[in-house]
Amino acid sequence: MIVLSIKKIQIQKGIHWGKAPVATVLLIVISCLLYFGHQAKDEVKYQEATDFYLNSDLFKMEYPRYSSYLYRTERSTDAQHVEQQYKGKEFQSITQLMSIDTGFAKHLKEKGTTFWSAREYSQWQALKEKAYAVVSSISAVQFGLIPSHNTPLTFITHQFLHVNLIHLMGTILFLLLLGVPIELALGTGRTFIIYLISGISGGLVYSLAIR
């Protein structure tokens, strides 16, 4: 179907082979720069944040509240998964989830005084600020889609993030096979707009689906 649609575009619009696929190349370059640049440091940052959580009292303070928070926000599948990880002593995996869950951090900030003493709450705030200094610079937090922390900008920037090299290569292959002929037929401006609108739409569906 996709091939047929592209051929239909080619017939209706005609391909101008003399024009360079600027939008396609630009999308690939931006994705590569972000992946090999900013995202290349994420693994170290994740480990740094995880170590801080586990070596301080943050994990002990937050985990008992995390499972109930997930159930309360209708994320029962995530809650059950986290509980299984805890039984398997996969504390690092749980810590990575908690550390980037900005909705959970907001919940603790607003409700923390209801289940912690004033001293414990102050201790948690001090530790959380230190942890967030690292977490906030992680690509998934800074540019990714987190339903409780989305901004108009992240609906655009998330489109250029990639989980791993295979994900990035898949995007590049998709753009080369489909993006180039579409851009040659429709033009640079339209192709770029279509790509961004598709990504924004996908981001909205994802955010609504996991709320």
Side-chain angles (χ1 to χ4, degrees), residues 68-102:
S68 59
Y69 165 78
L70 292 174
Y71 280 116
R72 191 179 300 111
T73 53
E74 299 181 358
R75 293 163 61 187
S76 57
T77 301
D78 290 339
Q80 292 166 7
H81 181 61
V82 165
E83 288 171 349
Q84 286 297 118
Q85 287 180 319
Y86 188 80
K87 290 179 182 178
K89 297 184 178 181
E90 299 176 39
F91 302 138
Q92 285 201 357
S93 298
I94 299 172
T95 298
Q96 288 188 353
L97 289 174
M98 288 197 304
S99 65
I100 66 171
D101 195 328
T102 53

Side-chain angles (χ1 to χ4, degrees), residues 49 52-64 98 116 123-125 127-132:
F52 182 81
Y53 256 79
L54 295 175
N55 293 331
S56 67
D57 289 329
L58 266 180
F59 184 84
K60 293 178 182 178
M61 295 181 76
E62 290 191 0
Y63 175 74
M98 288 197 304
W116 288 325
Q123 180 189 12
W124 172 80
Q125 280 187 312
L127 292 172
K128 194 67 175 181
E129 285 178 10
K130 291 180 181 179
Y132 193 70

